[in-house]
Amino acid sequence: MIKLLENIDSRLIVVGGASSLYLDESHEKRLLDVIPTDLPYYPTLLEMAKASLIYEASKLNVTFFSPAEFFDPEGAQTNNYTITGDVLEHNKAGKSRISYADYAEAVLNMIEDGSHQHEHIGIYEN
């Protein structure tokens, strides 16, 4: 499928998973690497991490946008968030969370301003 999209002059925005984010700037370990493999949702985490590598290696204009560790479906929109690179970040309270509402706002802003093309990025609530 990726080969079919490579000749299209468009941008693909993928909602990734936090499991694909690295734990520090050395890029030696991802969140996936420290998560117990016996968790029932581990296969999903593994596939999202694999997908990030596939898109990164492609020629597509992809923004792989990973939410924070806790992707809160019920959280309010705060407009108080930080977009990061491909390293998992935490706020001053040590939490890595983002509401669906803030994530959606960030995606819309990114589309409108054309930022973060050809990048793997993350987001967290300040």
Side-chain angles (χ1 to χ4, degrees):
M1 172 150 164
I2 289 178
K3 289 285 184 198
L4 293 172
L5 297 173
E6 284 182 350
N7 296 322
I8 298 173
D9 186 29
S10 294
R11 176 182 184 187
L12 176 63
I13 298 173
V14 177
V15 174
S19 65
S20 63
L21 293 170
Y22 291 95
L23 296 178
D24 61 35
E25 293 295 333
S26 72
H27 286 174
E28 292 177 13
K29 283 189 179 180
R30 294 175 294 167
L31 181 59
L32 177 74
D33 299 326
V34 298
I35 294 173
T37 58
D38 61 347
L39 292 175
Y41 50 87
Y42 182 84
T44 301
L45 303 177
L46 176 62
E47 293 307 314
M48 290 308 297
K50 285 181 186 177
S52 73
L53 298 175
I54 291 168
Y55 284 118
E56 183 179 308
S58 79
K59 296 176 184 174
L60 294 175
N61 182 3
V62 177
T63 302
F64 196 89
F65 196 11
S66 295
E69 280 183 272
F70 180 54
F71 200 12
D72 187 356
E74 297 176 14
Q77 184 171 353
T78 67
N79 295 316
N80 184 23
Y81 56 82
T82 298
I83 305 277
T84 68
D86 59 359
V87 174
L88 180 68
E89 299 287 347
H90 297 81
N91 62 21
K92 290 178 184 174
K95 299 193 186 261
S96 174
R97 71 168 303 280
I98 193 71
S99 68
Y100 280 22
D102 279 336
Y103 185 91
E105 177 70 22
V107 169
L108 291 174
N109 290 339
M110 184 175 51
I111 291 168
E112 288 176 358
D113 66 23
S115 61
H116 303 291
Q117 296 192 34
H118 300 280
E119 290 184 51
H120 181 182
I121 58 174
I123 185 172
Y124 69 95
E125 182 179 286
N126 296 327

